[in-house]
Structures are given as C-alpha cells and as structure tokens.
Amino acid sequence: MNKRPSIKDVAARAGVSMATVSRVLSGDYPVADETRQRVQLAVRELDYVVNAHARALHGATSKVVALVVAEVTTPFFARIAAGVEEQATVAHRLCLVCTTHADPDRELDVVRLMREQRADAVILAGGVVENDDYRERMRQYAQGLENAGSRLVLCARPSLGPDFPAITVEYENVGGAHAATTHLLTAGHRDILMIAGPVGLTTSDQRIEGYRTALTAYGRPVDPALISHGPWDREGGYRRTRALLAAGKRFTAIFAGNDGVASGAMAALREVGRRIPDDVSIVGYDDIPNAVDFNPPLTSVRVPQEELGRTAVKLATQRSSESSGREHVMLGTHVVVRGSVRQIGA
C-alpha cells in the first residue's frame, strides 16, 4: 500500500521548509506569491491532505463553520443555512451542516465533536428544550471552544445567560408574537386559539409569552384551554385543530406557532366547512416563502432568517481585540399583512 504523502514530502517537492508549507496551508501568514504557488502545485501533484489531528495539536482551527440544526427540510432552517453558507464563503470557510432531530443530547454530542475537530465556529440554530444538565454541559463545551480559539454561536434562540461564553444572534420572537396577537385583537377577535409547539421548546415558549402579554395588555384573560401544545409541523397543526373543533372549542381566530402549523390548521378548517377568514381568521409565524401562495395568502410574522445566518458567521469569524466572544445581537420582526384575517364586530 502506498504511503500517504506528508507535509515533509510537500516541502521537499516545493523546495521549501515544512514551516513554510504550514503557513501556506493555514493562510494566516504572509508568503511570497511565487512560493505559495510552488507549495500549492506540490500539494496538487502529491494529492496531499491536511492532517486535521496534527493541526489540532498546534492549536489551529480547521476553517470549518459547523451549523447545527434540528433538520434541514423546513424553510426556516433552510433559509438560515443559506445565510450561513453565503457568509462562510465570503469568510473563506467551509460550511458543514449537522442535524440533531431536535434531540438535545445529540446537539451536545455534535458540539463536543466539533470542539475536538477544532471547528472555527459552531452555530446552534433554532430552539431547544433546555434543562440544568444541558446548560452546564453546553457551558463546558462553549468554554472549551473559546479556549481553543473557536466560537459558539446561539442563533435564533435566546442567550443562556450574560456570562455564558457564546455569541447570541436572536430575533424579536416575543415581540413578533405580541404583534401577531395584537393584530388579531385590533381586528375585533377575543377568543384566539394559540397552536404552540412542544412544552419547554424555547422558541415556542417565547411565542406563547408574546401571545399572553398581548392579551393582558388588552385586558383579556389568558385561557389555558386555548393554548395547545404539540408537534410543530403541518400534521400537528391539522390534527390538533381537528381535535379542538371536535371538542367544541370556541374561537374566531388562530395564532399558529409557525407557518407549517398554520397550513395544517387551514386544511382542518376547510374540511369542516369553516371559511378563512370569514369564519376563522389566522396568523402564522416565520413568513416562509410560499406563505403568499396559501389560500388565502397568509398573514405572518417575518423573521430575517438569512440575516440571522449571515450575522452569526460574521461575528463568529471576526478576530478583533474588540470582540469579546459574548456579543448579543437582536434582529427585528414584523407582521406581514395579507388576506387571512377579517375585521369583526365593527
């Protein structure tokens, strides 16, 4: 079996020192163009592959930005990934996408692995169900990344605390939910069903908080029977809406926790002859690209998903003396009004 070429072989082929080869490969040091070209030619001719473990021993990062998401099939995560990939390319980093299927333990395992592989940055996108053990383990991994010159970024999720060693890039999630609920209230609706996500999911909890604060601001009681927890997808929205209708729950409007849930809820309403918005108004969240194609077009809260991804990479890859590794950025949201809400009681 042929021996895999080493950095020593590349140096000999290019007629330079191993230190010079290392500088060219890392890209972090100035090297004369002619020398760089000789080294790059030797690398191609020998089909040399950088030994990631050897690089890690020297404290270098791998020029990889790892994006960790629950899954990649929904538009919300896909658009964040698009922003991450776009900015990673600008920053000359390779983008690696890892999925967790919404399993906090798997998320922790991925962060640990990326720390061991010396990823330049690890970006955790979307909500998670937290507990004390999760927070403590994540703190240890985040500190390990920081000690190694890498960054952990909490993207589209709340901070784990002011002293937590990570960058946070989130959006006005509570404010967006407050605005969505207020939009229904100002249209005359008082019995508003909230179709939320699983209990404890940070993203869903924040949207429930916004729903509650809007009702309270209007002097309306918060009826726990009108808050439904469960799977946060189209099927979950469909099944829960059908079940609530069958149970005789009275409501004139629905605040769906995301646009997928809204799509399922709309299908359930149509099946029982409820017209949208004549009989039931509905507002979604996230403003996915095809929300405008719903029937009727869906009023939804717009979240700047791609900008979240781009900002996460920008902050994670900057290495200035002013960068503390604990930056906190909050991006705005707003309600995009379409045809799924009707004014009543006017």
Side-chain angles (χ1 to χ4, degrees), residues 201-279:
L201 180 66
T202 53
T203 305
S204 177
D205 286 353
Q206 288 186 319
R207 293 179 187 180
I208 293 172
E209 181 183 347
Y211 165 83
R212 288 175 175 271
T213 59
L215 289 172
T216 301
Y218 266 73
R220 296 292 300 172
V222 178
D223 182 358
L226 287 179
I227 302 176
S228 172
H229 292 277
W232 229 16
D233 54 17
R234 187 183 190 279
E235 183 66 17
Y238 170 80
R239 290 186 179 277
R240 284 189 280 155
T241 303
R242 283 301 303 262
L244 289 163
L245 288 167
K249 293 294 182 185
R250 295 188 58 185
F251 51 87
T252 63
I254 296 174
F255 174 26
N258 62 38
D259 292 347
V261 169
S263 175
M266 293 169 83
L269 290 167
R270 282 192 292 268
E271 281 191 3
V272 297
R274 299 285 186 94
R275 297 167 300 167
I276 306 165
D278 295 17
D279 300 319

Side-chain angles (χ1 to χ4, degrees), residues 102-331:
D103 181 349
D105 287 331
R106 177 168 170 77
E107 182 179 87
L108 286 160
D109 287 343
V110 170
V111 174
R112 177 181 54 78
L113 177 62
M114 290 300 101
R115 183 192 63 179
E116 292 172 357
Q117 295 299 316
R118 297 296 177 106
D120 207 30
V122 180
I123 300 171
L124 306 182
V128 67
V129 177
E130 303 171 357
N131 56 37
D132 291 341
D133 177 67
Y134 170 91
R135 284 187 286 270
E136 181 56 33
R137 290 172 63 192
M138 188 61 76
R139 176 181 292 277
Q140 294 173 6
Y141 294 160
Q143 191 63 61
L145 284 166
E146 186 175 78
N147 293 343
S150 301
R151 297 283 175 82
L152 179 70
V153 185
L154 306 179
C155 178
R157 70 169 61 174
S159 169
L160 288 173
D163 62 341
F164 188 81
I167 298 166
T168 302
V169 182
E170 57 177 328
Y171 56 97
E172 285 283 3
N173 196 14
V174 176
H178 184 102
T181 309
T182 299
H183 181 68
L184 292 169
L185 288 163
T186 55
H189 298 278
R190 296 297 178 263
D191 297 315
I192 302 171
L193 171 65
M194 170 71 187
I195 308 182
V199 174
L201 180 66
T202 53
T203 305
S204 177
D205 286 353
Q206 288 186 319
R207 293 179 187 180
I208 293 172
E209 181 183 347
Y211 165 83
R212 288 175 175 271
T213 59
L215 289 172
T216 301
Y218 266 73
R220 296 292 300 172
V222 178
D223 182 358
L226 287 179
I227 302 176
S228 172
H229 292 277
W232 229 16
D233 54 17
R234 187 183 190 279
E235 183 66 17
Y238 170 80
R239 290 186 179 277
R240 284 189 280 155
T241 303
R242 283 301 303 262
L244 289 163
L245 288 167
K249 293 294 182 185
R250 295 188 58 185
F251 51 87
T252 63
I254 296 174
F255 174 26
N258 62 38
D259 292 347
V261 169
S263 175
M266 293 169 83
L269 290 167
R270 282 192 292 268
E271 281 191 3
V272 297
R274 299 285 186 94
R275 297 167 300 167
I276 306 165
D278 295 17
D279 300 319
V280 179
S281 292
I282 186 165
V283 174
Y285 208 114
D286 296 339
D287 193 33
I288 62 176
N290 66 327
V292 69
D293 298 320
F294 283 27
N295 183 25
L298 181 66
T299 293
S300 185
V301 178
R302 178 164 296 173
V303 176
Q305 292 108 328
E306 292 185 25
E307 184 60 25
L308 285 164
R310 286 192 293 266
T311 303
V313 177
K314 287 177 185 177
L315 293 177
T317 55
Q318 68 185 22
R319 290 290 187 267
S320 70
S321 59
E322 298 177 356
S323 175
S324 67
R326 287 167 171 78
E327 293 90 340
H328 190 157
V329 174
M330 180 75 75
L331 302 182

Side-chain angles (χ1 to χ4, degrees), residues 4 7 22 48-61 116-118:
R4 188 170 67 181
I7 192 171
S22 179
Y48 173 71
V49 178
V50 176
N51 186 324
H53 296 289
R55 171 174 285 184
L57 290 174
H58 287 84
T61 56
E116 292 172 357
Q117 295 299 316
R118 297 296 177 106

